[in-house]
Amino acid sequence: MSALVLDPDLRYADLTATLRRFGFALVREPSAPPLVPGEPEFGTWRRADDIAVYTCNPVVRLRLLDLSGVAEPDAIRAELPLLHASALPRLLRSSDPEQLLLGVLAAGAMHAYDQLPALRALGRHRDSAVARAAVLTARGLAAR
């Protein structure tokens, strides 16, 4: 299972509360203060032998939750607001570079092969960060 792409508007506190309801305890957060107050860039939770790992790119609000270390992740997945693949075309057509980057990185995390044409087109974007991310994401997907 690949990481879940969480809704960018999900607050870290709400994620923590959801995981606690499922019996997880926070075992690790960064020691440095987060770029966005109250929104750490990563966290690790444990429940017996289960481990859940969260990462966040605060610049574009890409939030990922890796439940591959959780024996039965479906109940947790059902409780969390996700960024759905249906949102990718809109993000990948945005005029806002941050939204474009969110779409590019989310497409990679979701293994959204159907977005390869859009990613290849964005490889020629005037914003070098968008172009670079799109090229790398398209290459990564094509290599799979």
Side-chain angles (χ1 to χ4, degrees):
M1 175 179 97
S2 58
L4 299 176
V5 180
L6 302 172
D7 185 310
D9 294 327
L10 177 67
R11 295 176 348 158
Y12 182 78
D14 294 334
L15 171 64
T16 297
T18 298
L19 290 171
R20 283 188 178 140
R21 279 198 312 275
F22 283 95
F24 283 84
L26 183 64
V27 293
R28 185 168 178 228
E29 277 184 344
S31 56
L35 292 175
V36 177
E39 297 291 327
E41 286 83 30
F42 70 86
T44 303
W45 290 266
R46 180 177 285 263
R47 174 185 67 187
D49 291 333
D50 291 339
I51 296 175
V53 179
Y54 168 81
T55 57
C56 176
N57 177 327
V59 174
V60 297
R61 299 180 327 143
L62 177 70
R63 300 170 186 277
L64 303 175
L65 183 63
D66 184 351
L67 296 176
S68 62
V70 176
E72 296 181 23
D74 293 340
I76 298 168
R77 183 183 305 117
E79 292 293 317
L80 294 169
L82 303 176
L83 180 67
H84 295 283
S86 62
L88 292 177
R90 175 185 51 80
L91 291 169
L92 294 172
R93 286 190 310 268
S94 176
S95 59
D96 177 23
E98 289 178 8
Q99 290 291 291
L100 285 170
L101 283 169
L102 173 59
V104 167
L105 297 174
M110 292 179 187
H111 308 293
Y113 302 104
D114 61 322
Q115 297 305 316
L116 271 170
L119 292 168
R120 288 183 175 128
L122 285 171
R124 297 180 298 278
H125 196 272
R126 68 183 176 280
D127 184 296
S128 62
V130 170
R132 224 176 8 259
V135 167
L136 292 172
T137 300
R139 283 183 189 159
L141 287 174
R144 291 181 138 255

